[in-house]
Amino acid sequence: GNSVTQMEGPVTLSEEAFLTINCTYTATGYPSLFWYVQYPGEGLQLLLKATKADDKGSNKGFEATYRKETTSFHLEKGSVQVSDSAVYFCALSDLGAYGNKLVFGAGTILRVKS
Amino acid sequence: GAGVSQSPSNKVTEKGKDVELRCDPISGHTALYWYRQSLGQGLEFLIYFQGNSAPDKSGLPSDRFSAERTGGSVSTLTIQRTQQEDSAVYLCASSSLAGRGEQYFGPGTRLTVT
C-alpha cells in the first residue's frame, strides 16, 4: 500500500539556520503531496502542497518540490525562526472510491533555539 | 462555524467502558474524516464520510470502533469496551469539493484509557 517515510527527529537548529526535513513516499498512481504542521497545543494545519510532478509548494518561507523520479518531497526553509518549532508531517493523498484520505509519515519534531 | 470543533477535548475512561467522541465539521463541508494519532502508530486514517454515500471504514482497527454521521453534519465516533491501546488523540477533519478539497482538522480529543 501507499506509505510515507520521513526523517526521524528531533531536529534541533539555531535561529537563522537552514532546514531540510526529508520525505520519501511509495504510491501507486499520482498522489498529491502535503506538509502539515502541528504547533504546540494546536491542531494540524496544512503548510503547503503539490499536486503533480515538478510542482513546488511554498508557504511562510517553507518550500517543497514534488520529485517523481526520486519519489521525494523534502521540506526546506532558508532561515528558521524560534516560532517554527513544531512537529512537521509529510503526507500523501490516497484517492479512494470516494475521497482523499491522507497517509502520513511519522512526524519530525523541530526545535529552534534562539 | 469558524472551524472544526471536537468534544470533549480530554476524556479519561476505565478499561472496558464505552466512549463517544463528537465532531462538528465546518458548515457546508460534505466530507468528514476521522484519524487517530498515537505514539506507537503515528497518524492513521480511521473512517471517511462523503454526503449520503456509504462510509469508507477501511481504517477502523477493530469491530469495537464505529462511527456515524447524522444529517450529513455532526459525527460521533464510538469505541466499545475500551482497551489501553485505544489511548490516543482522535482527530476529525472536514473538506469540501466532495472530499477532494483541503482537509481542515479539529483540535482533537485526547483519550486516556486507564
Side-chain angles (χ1 to χ4, degrees):
Chain A
N2 295 345
S3 65
V4 174
T5 302
Q6 60 182 104
M7 67 188 284
E8 292 186 20
V11 174
T12 303
L13 297 172
S14 297
E15 211 165 18
E16 299 184 4
F18 184 85
L19 168 71
T20 300
I21 301 178
N22 290 337
C23 171
T24 57
Y25 67 91
T26 302
T28 53
Y30 304 96
S32 293
L33 301 174
F34 306 85
W35 278 100
Y36 278 82
V37 59
Q38 190 171 35
Y39 297 104
E42 297 186 18
L44 270 176
Q45 302 172 27
L46 178 64
L47 180 60
L48 54 84
K49 68 178 182 182
T51 57
K52 60 183 187 297
D54 299 325
D55 266 3
K56 178 185 284 189
S58 60
N59 187 23
K60 299 182 181 179
F62 291 88
E63 56 184 37
T65 301
Y66 190 144
R67 300 285 189 202
K68 189 168 182 295
E69 64 276 12
T70 54
T71 61
S72 65
F73 193 55
H74 305 320
L75 182 68
E76 296 182 335
K77 186 174 186 183
S79 176
V80 294
Q81 306 300 311
V82 173
S83 56
D84 294 326
S85 298
V87 184
Y88 292 82
F89 294 90
C90 185
L92 63 80
S93 63
D94 189 348
L95 281 172
Y98 305 113
N100 192 17
K101 61 188 179 189
L102 294 170
V103 176
F104 288 91
T108 302
I109 297 172
L110 171 64
R111 297 182 181 134
V112 181
K113 303 183 298 185
S114 59
Chain B
V4 178
S5 60
Q6 294 186 244
S7 61
S9 55
N10 279 285
K11 176 73 176 177
V12 180
T13 190
E14 292 180 354
K15 178 181 171 181
K17 301 281 190 185
D18 297 353
V19 294
E20 286 188 351
L21 312 179
R22 176 188 168 106
C23 171
D24 237 304
I26 292 172
S27 178
H29 280 190
T30 57
L32 187 149
Y33 303 80
W34 283 97
Y35 294 88
R36 177 169 72 172
Q37 185 174 19
S38 58
L39 278 176
Q41 303 297 323
L43 264 161
E44 310 169 273
F45 165 79
L46 296 177
I47 188 169
Y48 163 64
F49 295 90
Q50 169 54 40
N52 295 320
S53 302
D56 177 353
K57 305 179 184 179
S58 59
L60 294 179
S62 79
D63 58 9
R64 295 185 296 104
F65 287 72
S66 63
E68 62 178 23
R69 189 177 184 193
T70 53
S73 181
V74 171
S75 177
T76 302
L77 177 69
T78 301
I79 309 173
Q80 296 180 307
R81 305 181 303 282
T82 52
Q83 303 294 312
Q84 288 187 328
E85 62 262 27
D86 300 334
S87 296
V89 176
Y90 289 82
L91 297 171
C92 177
S94 70
S95 74
S96 60
L97 302 176
R100 293 169 191 268
E102 176 184 341
Q103 292 184 34
Y104 293 84
F105 283 81
T109 294
R110 181 174 296 277
L111 175 66
T112 303
V113 182
T114 61

